[in-house]
Short mmCIF file of all heavy atoms in Angstrom, two decimals:
data_model
loop_
_atom_site.label_atom_id
_atom_site.label_comp_id
_atom_site.label_asym_id
_atom_site.label_seq_id
_atom_site.Cartn_x
_atom_site.Cartn_y
_atom_site.Cartn_z
N MET A 1 0.84 -1.16 0.00
CA MET A 1 0.00 0.00 0.00
C MET A 1 0.89 1.23 0.00
O MET A 1 2.03 1.20 0.44
CB MET A 1 -0.90 -0.02 1.23
CG MET A 1 -2.00 0.99 1.18
SD MET A 1 -3.18 0.83 2.53
CE MET A 1 -4.22 -0.44 1.86
N ARG A 2 0.36 2.33 -0.46
CA ARG A 2 1.11 3.59 -0.59
C ARG A 2 0.37 4.70 0.15
O ARG A 2 -0.83 4.84 0.03
CB ARG A 2 1.23 3.92 -2.07
CG ARG A 2 2.09 5.10 -2.39
CD ARG A 2 2.19 5.29 -3.89
NE ARG A 2 3.12 4.34 -4.45
CZ ARG A 2 4.27 4.65 -5.03
NH1 ARG A 2 4.61 5.91 -5.15
NH2 ARG A 2 5.05 3.72 -5.52
N LEU A 3 1.12 5.49 0.90
CA LEU A 3 0.57 6.65 1.60
C LEU A 3 1.17 7.89 0.95
O LEU A 3 2.38 8.06 0.93
CB LEU A 3 0.94 6.61 3.09
CG LEU A 3 0.54 7.82 3.92
CD1 LEU A 3 -0.98 7.93 4.01
CD2 LEU A 3 1.14 7.72 5.31
N VAL A 4 0.30 8.74 0.41
CA VAL A 4 0.75 9.94 -0.31
C VAL A 4 0.44 11.17 0.53
O VAL A 4 -0.68 11.36 0.99
CB VAL A 4 0.05 10.06 -1.68
CG1 VAL A 4 0.46 11.34 -2.39
CG2 VAL A 4 0.34 8.84 -2.53
N THR A 5 1.45 12.01 0.72
CA THR A 5 1.30 13.27 1.44
C THR A 5 1.70 14.39 0.49
O THR A 5 2.77 14.35 -0.09
CB THR A 5 2.20 13.30 2.68
OG1 THR A 5 1.88 12.20 3.51
CG2 THR A 5 2.00 14.58 3.45
N SER A 6 0.82 15.39 0.34
CA SER A 6 1.10 16.53 -0.53
C SER A 6 1.27 17.78 0.30
O SER A 6 0.47 18.05 1.20
CB SER A 6 -0.03 16.74 -1.53
OG SER A 6 -0.11 15.64 -2.40
N ILE A 7 2.29 18.55 -0.02
CA ILE A 7 2.55 19.82 0.65
C ILE A 7 2.45 20.91 -0.42
O ILE A 7 3.18 20.88 -1.40
CB ILE A 7 3.95 19.82 1.29
CG1 ILE A 7 4.04 18.70 2.34
CG2 ILE A 7 4.26 21.19 1.90
CD1 ILE A 7 5.44 18.43 2.83
N MET A 8 1.52 21.85 -0.23
CA MET A 8 1.34 22.95 -1.18
C MET A 8 1.92 24.21 -0.55
O MET A 8 1.64 24.52 0.61
CB MET A 8 -0.14 23.17 -1.49
CG MET A 8 -0.81 21.99 -2.16
SD MET A 8 -0.25 21.70 -3.83
CE MET A 8 -0.97 23.06 -4.69
N THR A 9 2.72 24.95 -1.32
CA THR A 9 3.32 26.19 -0.82
C THR A 9 3.18 27.28 -1.87
O THR A 9 2.97 27.01 -3.05
CB THR A 9 4.81 26.00 -0.51
OG1 THR A 9 5.50 25.66 -1.71
CG2 THR A 9 5.03 24.93 0.54
N SER A 10 3.32 28.51 -1.40
CA SER A 10 3.30 29.65 -2.33
C SER A 10 4.72 29.98 -2.80
O SER A 10 4.88 30.79 -3.70
CB SER A 10 2.66 30.86 -1.67
OG SER A 10 3.39 31.22 -0.51
N HIS A 11 5.73 29.35 -2.19
CA HIS A 11 7.11 29.55 -2.64
C HIS A 11 7.71 28.18 -2.98
O HIS A 11 7.27 27.16 -2.47
CB HIS A 11 7.94 30.24 -1.56
CG HIS A 11 8.26 29.36 -0.38
ND1 HIS A 11 7.34 29.10 0.61
CD2 HIS A 11 9.37 28.67 -0.06
CE1 HIS A 11 7.88 28.29 1.50
NE2 HIS A 11 9.12 28.01 1.12
N LYS A 12 8.66 28.19 -3.85
CA LYS A 12 9.31 26.94 -4.24
C LYS A 12 10.25 26.49 -3.12
O LYS A 12 11.07 27.27 -2.65
CB LYS A 12 10.09 27.16 -5.54
CG LYS A 12 10.55 25.89 -6.18
CD LYS A 12 11.07 26.16 -7.58
CE LYS A 12 11.30 24.84 -8.29
NZ LYS A 12 11.55 25.01 -9.69
N LEU A 13 10.09 25.23 -2.68
CA LEU A 13 10.93 24.71 -1.61
C LEU A 13 12.36 24.51 -2.12
O LEU A 13 12.57 24.07 -3.25
CB LEU A 13 10.39 23.36 -1.12
CG LEU A 13 9.03 23.38 -0.44
CD1 LEU A 13 8.58 21.96 -0.12
CD2 LEU A 13 9.08 24.22 0.83
N THR A 14 13.31 24.83 -1.26
CA THR A 14 14.71 24.59 -1.61
C THR A 14 15.03 23.12 -1.41
O THR A 14 14.29 22.39 -0.74
CB THR A 14 15.64 25.44 -0.72
OG1 THR A 14 15.51 24.98 0.63
CG2 THR A 14 15.31 26.92 -0.80
N GLY A 15 16.13 22.68 -1.95
CA GLY A 15 16.57 21.31 -1.75
C GLY A 15 16.77 21.00 -0.28
O GLY A 15 16.43 19.91 0.20
N GLU A 16 17.29 21.97 0.47
CA GLU A 16 17.50 21.79 1.92
C GLU A 16 16.18 21.61 2.65
O GLU A 16 16.07 20.78 3.55
CB GLU A 16 18.25 23.00 2.46
CG GLU A 16 18.63 22.88 3.93
CD GLU A 16 19.46 24.07 4.38
OE1 GLU A 16 20.58 24.27 3.85
OE2 GLU A 16 18.98 24.79 5.27
N GLU A 17 15.16 22.39 2.29
CA GLU A 17 13.84 22.26 2.91
C GLU A 17 13.23 20.90 2.62
O GLU A 17 12.64 20.26 3.50
CB GLU A 17 12.90 23.37 2.43
CG GLU A 17 13.26 24.75 2.95
CD GLU A 17 12.44 25.85 2.31
OE1 GLU A 17 12.22 25.82 1.07
OE2 GLU A 17 12.03 26.75 3.07
N LYS A 18 13.37 20.44 1.38
CA LYS A 18 12.84 19.12 1.00
C LYS A 18 13.52 18.01 1.80
O LYS A 18 12.86 17.09 2.28
CB LYS A 18 13.01 18.88 -0.50
CG LYS A 18 12.14 19.76 -1.36
CD LYS A 18 12.42 19.51 -2.82
CE LYS A 18 11.67 20.48 -3.71
NZ LYS A 18 11.97 20.27 -5.13
N ILE A 19 14.82 18.09 1.95
CA ILE A 19 15.55 17.08 2.72
C ILE A 19 15.11 17.09 4.17
O ILE A 19 14.92 16.03 4.79
CB ILE A 19 17.08 17.31 2.59
CG1 ILE A 19 17.53 16.96 1.17
CG2 ILE A 19 17.84 16.49 3.62
CD1 ILE A 19 18.95 17.37 0.85
N LYS A 20 14.90 18.27 4.74
CA LYS A 20 14.45 18.38 6.13
C LYS A 20 13.08 17.72 6.30
O LYS A 20 12.84 16.98 7.27
CB LYS A 20 14.38 19.87 6.51
CG LYS A 20 14.40 20.13 7.99
CD LYS A 20 14.34 21.63 8.29
CE LYS A 20 15.70 22.25 8.18
NZ LYS A 20 15.74 23.64 8.68
N ILE A 21 12.17 17.97 5.36
CA ILE A 21 10.83 17.37 5.42
C ILE A 21 10.92 15.85 5.27
O ILE A 21 10.28 15.10 6.02
CB ILE A 21 9.92 17.98 4.32
CG1 ILE A 21 9.66 19.45 4.62
CG2 ILE A 21 8.61 17.20 4.22
CD1 ILE A 21 9.06 20.22 3.46
N MET A 22 11.74 15.39 4.33
CA MET A 22 11.90 13.95 4.13
C MET A 22 12.48 13.29 5.37
O MET A 22 12.06 12.19 5.75
CB MET A 22 12.79 13.69 2.91
CG MET A 22 12.12 14.04 1.60
SD MET A 22 13.24 14.10 0.19
CE MET A 22 14.10 12.56 0.29
N ASN A 23 13.43 13.94 6.04
CA ASN A 23 14.01 13.39 7.26
C ASN A 23 12.98 13.30 8.38
O ASN A 23 12.99 12.35 9.17
CB ASN A 23 15.22 14.21 7.71
CG ASN A 23 16.42 14.01 6.82
OD1 ASN A 23 16.51 13.02 6.10
ND2 ASN A 23 17.32 14.95 6.83
N MET A 24 12.09 14.29 8.45
CA MET A 24 11.02 14.24 9.46
C MET A 24 10.13 13.02 9.23
O MET A 24 9.80 12.30 10.17
CB MET A 24 10.18 15.53 9.41
CG MET A 24 10.89 16.72 9.99
SD MET A 24 10.05 18.33 9.85
CE MET A 24 8.36 17.98 9.56
N PHE A 25 9.75 12.79 7.97
CA PHE A 25 8.91 11.64 7.66
C PHE A 25 9.63 10.32 7.91
O PHE A 25 9.08 9.40 8.50
CB PHE A 25 8.43 11.69 6.20
CG PHE A 25 7.16 12.47 6.03
CD1 PHE A 25 7.20 13.83 5.85
CD2 PHE A 25 5.94 11.83 6.06
CE1 PHE A 25 6.04 14.56 5.71
CE2 PHE A 25 4.76 12.54 5.91
CZ PHE A 25 4.81 13.91 5.74
N SER A 26 10.87 10.23 7.47
CA SER A 26 11.59 8.96 7.59
C SER A 26 11.92 8.63 9.05
O SER A 26 12.08 7.46 9.39
CB SER A 26 12.86 8.95 6.74
OG SER A 26 13.77 9.92 7.18
N SER A 27 11.99 9.62 9.93
CA SER A 27 12.24 9.34 11.34
C SER A 27 11.02 8.70 12.01
O SER A 27 11.15 7.94 12.96
CB SER A 27 12.64 10.60 12.09
OG SER A 27 11.56 11.49 12.20
N VAL A 28 9.82 9.00 11.49
CA VAL A 28 8.59 8.43 12.04
C VAL A 28 8.15 7.19 11.25
O VAL A 28 7.70 6.21 11.83
CB VAL A 28 7.46 9.49 12.03
CG1 VAL A 28 6.15 8.90 12.54
CG2 VAL A 28 7.86 10.69 12.86
N TYR A 29 8.28 7.25 9.94
CA TYR A 29 7.87 6.16 9.05
C TYR A 29 9.08 5.69 8.25
O TYR A 29 9.33 6.19 7.16
CB TYR A 29 6.77 6.63 8.10
CG TYR A 29 5.57 7.23 8.79
CD1 TYR A 29 5.30 8.58 8.75
CD2 TYR A 29 4.70 6.41 9.51
CE1 TYR A 29 4.21 9.12 9.39
CE2 TYR A 29 3.60 6.94 10.16
CZ TYR A 29 3.36 8.30 10.09
OH TYR A 29 2.28 8.82 10.73
N PRO A 30 9.84 4.73 8.78
CA PRO A 30 11.06 4.28 8.08
C PRO A 30 10.75 3.31 6.94
O PRO A 30 11.08 2.14 6.99
CB PRO A 30 11.86 3.61 9.20
CG PRO A 30 10.82 3.10 10.14
CD PRO A 30 9.68 4.08 10.06
N HIS A 31 10.09 3.83 5.91
CA HIS A 31 9.71 3.02 4.75
C HIS A 31 10.36 3.58 3.50
O HIS A 31 10.90 4.69 3.52
CB HIS A 31 8.18 3.01 4.58
CG HIS A 31 7.46 2.45 5.77
ND1 HIS A 31 7.36 1.11 6.01
CD2 HIS A 31 6.83 3.06 6.80
CE1 HIS A 31 6.69 0.90 7.13
NE2 HIS A 31 6.36 2.08 7.63
N LYS A 32 10.25 2.84 2.41
CA LYS A 32 10.75 3.35 1.14
C LYS A 32 9.95 4.60 0.78
O LYS A 32 8.77 4.69 1.06
CB LYS A 32 10.62 2.29 0.05
CG LYS A 32 11.56 1.13 0.26
CD LYS A 32 11.48 0.17 -0.90
CE LYS A 32 12.44 -0.99 -0.68
NZ LYS A 32 12.36 -1.96 -1.77
N MET A 33 10.63 5.54 0.12
CA MET A 33 10.04 6.85 -0.14
C MET A 33 10.36 7.31 -1.56
O MET A 33 11.46 7.09 -2.05
CB MET A 33 10.61 7.82 0.89
CG MET A 33 10.13 9.22 0.81
SD MET A 33 10.98 10.32 2.00
CE MET A 33 10.74 9.50 3.55
N GLU A 34 9.38 7.95 -2.19
CA GLU A 34 9.58 8.64 -3.47
C GLU A 34 9.07 10.06 -3.30
O GLU A 34 8.12 10.29 -2.56
CB GLU A 34 8.79 7.97 -4.59
CG GLU A 34 9.30 6.64 -5.04
CD GLU A 34 8.45 6.06 -6.16
OE1 GLU A 34 7.29 6.44 -6.33
OE2 GLU A 34 8.99 5.21 -6.87
N THR A 35 9.68 11.00 -4.00
CA THR A 35 9.21 12.38 -3.93
C THR A 35 8.98 12.91 -5.35
O THR A 35 9.64 12.48 -6.30
CB THR A 35 10.22 13.29 -3.21
OG1 THR A 35 11.45 13.29 -3.92
CG2 THR A 35 10.44 12.84 -1.78
N PHE A 36 8.04 13.83 -5.45
CA PHE A 36 7.70 14.46 -6.73
C PHE A 36 7.46 15.94 -6.48
O PHE A 36 6.95 16.32 -5.43
CB PHE A 36 6.45 13.82 -7.34
CG PHE A 36 6.56 12.34 -7.54
CD1 PHE A 36 6.10 11.47 -6.57
CD2 PHE A 36 7.14 11.83 -8.69
CE1 PHE A 36 6.21 10.09 -6.75
CE2 PHE A 36 7.26 10.46 -8.87
CZ PHE A 36 6.79 9.59 -7.89
N THR A 37 7.80 16.77 -7.44
CA THR A 37 7.60 18.21 -7.34
C THR A 37 6.83 18.68 -8.57
O THR A 37 7.14 18.29 -9.69
CB THR A 37 8.95 18.95 -7.27
OG1 THR A 37 9.69 18.44 -6.16
CG2 THR A 37 8.76 20.44 -7.10
N TYR A 38 5.81 19.51 -8.33
CA TYR A 38 5.00 20.07 -9.42
C TYR A 38 4.86 21.57 -9.21
O TYR A 38 4.74 22.05 -8.09
CB TYR A 38 3.59 19.45 -9.43
CG TYR A 38 3.59 17.94 -9.50
CD1 TYR A 38 3.45 17.19 -8.35
CD2 TYR A 38 3.75 17.28 -10.71
CE1 TYR A 38 3.44 15.80 -8.39
CE2 TYR A 38 3.76 15.90 -10.77
CZ TYR A 38 3.60 15.17 -9.61
OH TYR A 38 3.61 13.80 -9.65
N ASP A 39 4.84 22.32 -10.30
CA ASP A 39 4.59 23.76 -10.26
C ASP A 39 3.30 24.05 -11.01
O ASP A 39 3.04 23.47 -12.06
CB ASP A 39 5.73 24.53 -10.94
CG ASP A 39 7.05 24.35 -10.20
OD1 ASP A 39 7.03 24.42 -8.96
OD2 ASP A 39 8.07 24.14 -10.87
N TYR A 40 2.47 24.95 -10.46
CA TYR A 40 1.17 25.28 -11.05
C TYR A 40 1.06 26.76 -11.33
O TYR A 40 1.63 27.59 -10.63
CB TYR A 40 0.04 24.86 -10.11
CG TYR A 40 -0.01 23.37 -9.86
CD1 TYR A 40 0.49 22.83 -8.68
CD2 TYR A 40 -0.52 22.51 -10.81
CE1 TYR A 40 0.45 21.47 -8.45
CE2 TYR A 40 -0.56 21.14 -10.59
CZ TYR A 40 -0.08 20.63 -9.41
OH TYR A 40 -0.11 19.28 -9.18
N GLU A 41 0.23 27.07 -12.32
CA GLU A 41 -0.11 28.45 -12.68
C GLU A 41 1.12 29.35 -12.73
O GLU A 41 1.25 30.31 -11.97
CB GLU A 41 -1.16 29.01 -11.71
CG GLU A 41 -2.48 28.28 -11.77
CD GLU A 41 -3.50 28.89 -10.82
OE1 GLU A 41 -3.41 30.12 -10.56
OE2 GLU A 41 -4.36 28.15 -10.37
N GLU A 42 2.03 29.01 -13.64
CA GLU A 42 3.23 29.81 -13.86
C GLU A 42 4.00 30.05 -12.55
O GLU A 42 4.36 31.17 -12.21
CB GLU A 42 2.89 31.12 -14.55
CG GLU A 42 2.28 30.92 -15.92
CD GLU A 42 1.91 32.23 -16.59
OE1 GLU A 42 2.47 33.28 -16.22
OE2 GLU A 42 1.08 32.19 -17.50
N ASN A 43 4.21 28.98 -11.79
CA ASN A 43 4.98 28.98 -10.53
C ASN A 43 4.31 29.76 -9.40
O ASN A 43 4.97 30.18 -8.46
CB ASN A 43 6.40 29.50 -10.75
CG ASN A 43 7.19 28.60 -11.66
OD1 ASN A 43 6.97 27.38 -11.69
ND2 ASN A 43 8.11 29.15 -12.39
N LYS A 44 2.98 29.95 -9.48
CA LYS A 44 2.29 30.62 -8.39
C LYS A 44 2.13 29.67 -7.19
O LYS A 44 2.19 30.11 -6.05
CB LYS A 44 0.92 31.12 -8.85
CG LYS A 44 0.20 31.96 -7.83
CD LYS A 44 -1.08 32.52 -8.40
CE LYS A 44 -1.81 33.35 -7.35
NZ LYS A 44 -3.07 33.89 -7.86
N TYR A 45 1.92 28.38 -7.48
CA TYR A 45 1.78 27.38 -6.43
C TYR A 45 2.75 26.24 -6.70
O TYR A 45 3.01 25.90 -7.85
CB TYR A 45 0.35 26.83 -6.37
CG TYR A 45 -0.67 27.89 -6.07
CD1 TYR A 45 -1.47 28.41 -7.07
CD2 TYR A 45 -0.80 28.40 -4.78
CE1 TYR A 45 -2.39 29.41 -6.80
CE2 TYR A 45 -1.71 29.39 -4.50
CZ TYR A 45 -2.51 29.89 -5.51
OH TYR A 45 -3.41 30.88 -5.24
N HIS A 46 3.26 25.66 -5.63
CA HIS A 46 4.23 24.57 -5.74
C HIS A 46 3.77 23.42 -4.87
O HIS A 46 3.31 23.63 -3.74
CB HIS A 46 5.62 25.05 -5.30
CG HIS A 46 6.06 26.27 -6.02
ND1 HIS A 46 6.67 26.23 -7.25
CD2 HIS A 46 5.94 27.58 -5.70
CE1 HIS A 46 6.94 27.47 -7.64
NE2 HIS A 46 6.50 28.30 -6.72
N GLU A 47 3.89 22.22 -5.40
CA GLU A 47 3.48 21.02 -4.68
C GLU A 47 4.68 20.10 -4.51
O GLU A 47 5.45 19.89 -5.44
CB GLU A 47 2.39 20.30 -5.46
CG GLU A 47 1.89 19.04 -4.80
CD GLU A 47 0.77 18.38 -5.60
OE1 GLU A 47 0.22 19.01 -6.53
OE2 GLU A 47 0.46 17.24 -5.29
N PHE A 48 4.83 19.57 -3.31
CA PHE A 48 5.88 18.61 -3.02
C PHE A 48 5.20 17.38 -2.44
O PHE A 48 4.56 17.45 -1.39
CB PHE A 48 6.89 19.20 -2.02
CG PHE A 48 8.01 18.28 -1.64
CD1 PHE A 48 8.83 17.74 -2.61
CD2 PHE A 48 8.25 17.96 -0.32
CE1 PHE A 48 9.88 16.89 -2.27
CE2 PHE A 48 9.30 17.12 0.03
CZ PHE A 48 10.11 16.59 -0.94
N ASP A 49 5.26 16.27 -3.15
CA ASP A 49 4.63 15.02 -2.73
C ASP A 49 5.66 14.07 -2.16
O ASP A 49 6.75 13.93 -2.71
CB ASP A 49 3.95 14.31 -3.91
CG ASP A 49 2.73 15.05 -4.41
OD1 ASP A 49 2.23 15.93 -3.69
OD2 ASP A 49 2.27 14.73 -5.51
N ILE A 50 5.28 13.44 -1.07
CA ILE A 50 6.09 12.37 -0.48
C ILE A 50 5.23 11.12 -0.49
O ILE A 50 4.16 11.10 0.13
CB ILE A 50 6.52 12.71 0.95
CG1 ILE A 50 7.38 13.98 0.96
CG2 ILE A 50 7.27 11.54 1.58
CD1 ILE A 50 7.71 14.47 2.34
N ASP A 51 5.68 10.11 -1.19
CA ASP A 51 4.98 8.83 -1.24
C ASP A 51 5.76 7.81 -0.43
O ASP A 51 6.92 7.53 -0.72
CB ASP A 51 4.86 8.32 -2.68
CG ASP A 51 4.02 9.21 -3.57
OD1 ASP A 51 3.66 10.31 -3.14
OD2 ASP A 51 3.74 8.79 -4.69
N LEU A 52 5.13 7.28 0.61
CA LEU A 52 5.72 6.19 1.38
C LEU A 52 5.08 4.91 0.86
O LEU A 52 3.86 4.84 0.73
CB LEU A 52 5.41 6.36 2.87
CG LEU A 52 5.89 7.65 3.52
CD1 LEU A 52 5.39 7.74 4.95
CD2 LEU A 52 7.40 7.74 3.48
N PHE A 53 5.89 3.91 0.54
CA PHE A 53 5.29 2.69 0.02
C PHE A 53 5.84 1.45 0.71
O PHE A 53 6.74 1.53 1.53
CB PHE A 53 5.39 2.60 -1.50
CG PHE A 53 6.76 2.72 -2.06
CD1 PHE A 53 7.48 1.60 -2.42
CD2 PHE A 53 7.35 3.97 -2.27
CE1 PHE A 53 8.74 1.71 -2.96
CE2 PHE A 53 8.61 4.09 -2.81
CZ PHE A 53 9.31 2.96 -3.16
N GLU A 54 5.21 0.33 0.38
CA GLU A 54 5.42 -0.95 1.07
C GLU A 54 4.98 -0.83 2.53
O GLU A 54 5.66 -1.26 3.45
CB GLU A 54 6.85 -1.44 0.94
CG GLU A 54 7.23 -1.78 -0.48
CD GLU A 54 8.62 -2.38 -0.60
OE1 GLU A 54 9.28 -2.67 0.42
OE2 GLU A 54 9.05 -2.56 -1.75
N LEU A 55 3.81 -0.18 2.71
CA LEU A 55 3.24 0.01 4.04
C LEU A 55 2.17 -1.04 4.29
O LEU A 55 1.48 -1.48 3.38
CB LEU A 55 2.56 1.37 4.15
CG LEU A 55 3.43 2.61 4.05
CD1 LEU A 55 2.56 3.84 4.01
CD2 LEU A 55 4.38 2.69 5.20
N ASP A 56 2.01 -1.39 5.53
CA ASP A 56 0.91 -2.24 5.97
C ASP A 56 0.07 -1.39 6.90
O ASP A 56 0.34 -1.32 8.10
CB ASP A 56 1.44 -3.49 6.68
CG ASP A 56 0.33 -4.41 7.12
OD1 ASP A 56 -0.76 -4.36 6.53
OD2 ASP A 56 0.56 -5.18 8.08
N LEU A 57 -0.90 -0.67 6.34
CA LEU A 57 -1.71 0.25 7.13
C LEU A 57 -2.77 -0.52 7.92
O LEU A 57 -3.37 -1.45 7.43
CB LEU A 57 -2.38 1.28 6.23
CG LEU A 57 -1.43 2.21 5.48
CD1 LEU A 57 -2.21 3.14 4.57
CD2 LEU A 57 -0.57 3.01 6.43
N GLN A 58 -2.97 -0.06 9.14
CA GLN A 58 -3.98 -0.64 10.01
C GLN A 58 -4.89 0.47 10.48
O GLN A 58 -4.53 1.65 10.42
CB GLN A 58 -3.32 -1.32 11.20
CG GLN A 58 -2.36 -2.42 10.81
CD GLN A 58 -1.61 -2.97 12.00
OE1 GLN A 58 -1.86 -2.59 13.13
NE2 GLN A 58 -0.69 -3.86 11.74
N LYS A 59 -6.04 0.08 10.96
CA LYS A 59 -6.99 1.08 11.44
C LYS A 59 -6.55 1.55 12.82
O LYS A 59 -6.80 0.90 13.83
CB LYS A 59 -8.39 0.49 11.50
CG LYS A 59 -9.46 1.51 11.80
CD LYS A 59 -10.83 0.89 11.75
CE LYS A 59 -11.89 1.93 12.03
NZ LYS A 59 -13.23 1.35 11.97
N LYS A 60 -5.85 2.69 12.87
CA LYS A 60 -5.43 3.29 14.12
C LYS A 60 -5.11 4.76 13.87
O LYS A 60 -4.94 5.19 12.73
CB LYS A 60 -4.24 2.57 14.73
CG LYS A 60 -2.96 2.68 13.95
CD LYS A 60 -1.84 1.95 14.69
CE LYS A 60 -0.52 2.18 13.98
NZ LYS A 60 0.57 1.55 14.70
N LEU A 61 -4.97 5.51 14.93
CA LEU A 61 -4.67 6.93 14.84
C LEU A 61 -3.17 7.13 14.64
O LEU A 61 -2.37 6.61 15.41
CB LEU A 61 -5.12 7.63 16.13
CG LEU A 61 -4.97 9.13 16.21
CD1 LEU A 61 -5.82 9.81 15.15
CD2 LEU A 61 -5.40 9.62 17.58
N PHE A 62 -2.77 7.85 13.57
CA PHE A 62 -1.36 8.08 13.30
C PHE A 62 -0.80 9.20 14.17
O PHE A 62 0.25 9.06 14.76
CB PHE A 62 -1.14 8.47 11.83
CG PHE A 62 -1.25 7.32 10.90
CD1 PHE A 62 -2.33 7.18 10.06
CD2 PHE A 62 -0.27 6.35 10.86
CE1 PHE A 62 -2.44 6.12 9.21
CE2 PHE A 62 -0.36 5.27 10.00
CZ PHE A 62 -1.44 5.16 9.17
N ILE A 63 -1.49 10.32 14.21
CA ILE A 63 -1.01 11.48 14.95
C ILE A 63 -2.14 11.98 15.84
O ILE A 63 -3.24 12.25 15.37
CB ILE A 63 -0.58 12.62 14.00
CG1 ILE A 63 0.55 12.14 13.09
CG2 ILE A 63 -0.14 13.84 14.79
CD1 ILE A 63 0.92 13.13 12.02
N LYS A 64 -1.86 12.12 17.11
CA LYS A 64 -2.85 12.63 18.05
C LYS A 64 -2.68 14.14 18.14
O LYS A 64 -1.61 14.63 18.46
CB LYS A 64 -2.67 11.98 19.41
CG LYS A 64 -3.75 12.36 20.38
CD LYS A 64 -3.60 11.58 21.67
CE LYS A 64 -4.73 11.92 22.61
NZ LYS A 64 -4.62 11.16 23.86
N ILE A 65 -3.74 14.87 17.86
CA ILE A 65 -3.71 16.34 17.89
C ILE A 65 -4.31 16.84 19.18
O ILE A 65 -5.27 16.39 19.65
CB ILE A 65 -4.45 16.94 16.67
CG1 ILE A 65 -3.75 16.48 15.40
CG2 ILE A 65 -4.49 18.44 16.74
CD1 ILE A 65 -4.45 16.89 14.14
#
């Protein structure tokens, strides 16, 4: 199974910011990861996707707010 997380920003993320975000995810979810970057409306919006795969998801709460 694959868990996809999308981050939308009004500024383009730097390589350092992307690595920091990926490290945050991998410290909690140590699974294989793919990332994708998309730009929309002439660079007005930027999307950074993190796909975690080879997951065995169960019915439980991931993050308690």
Side-chain angles (χ1 to χ4, degrees):
M1 192 173 277
R2 186 177 283 245
L3 175 66
V4 177
T5 303
S6 295
I7 300 168
M8 297 291 288
T9 63
S10 59
H11 72 282
K12 192 169 190 169
L13 295 175
T14 66
E16 185 176 297
E17 290 172 318
K18 291 177 186 178
I19 290 170
K20 200 179 278 190
I21 293 166
M22 290 167 51
N23 288 339
M24 287 175 19
F25 272 86
S26 64
S27 70
V28 177
Y29 305 108
H31 300 282
K32 292 185 180 179
M33 180 185 306
E34 288 180 338
T35 61
F36 303 94
T37 303
Y38 305 98
D39 296 316
Y40 297 102
E41 296 182 28
E42 298 179 21
N43 296 329
K44 186 175 180 182
Y45 299 103
H46 306 276
E47 180 178 347
F48 180 57
D49 291 344
I50 299 173
D51 296 9
L52 302 174
F53 55 98
E54 294 184 7
L55 295 173
D56 181 23
L57 297 177
Q58 301 174 5
K59 188 176 181 179
K60 67 178 186 177
L61 183 63
F62 285 108
I63 300 173
K64 186 175 183 179
I65 299 175

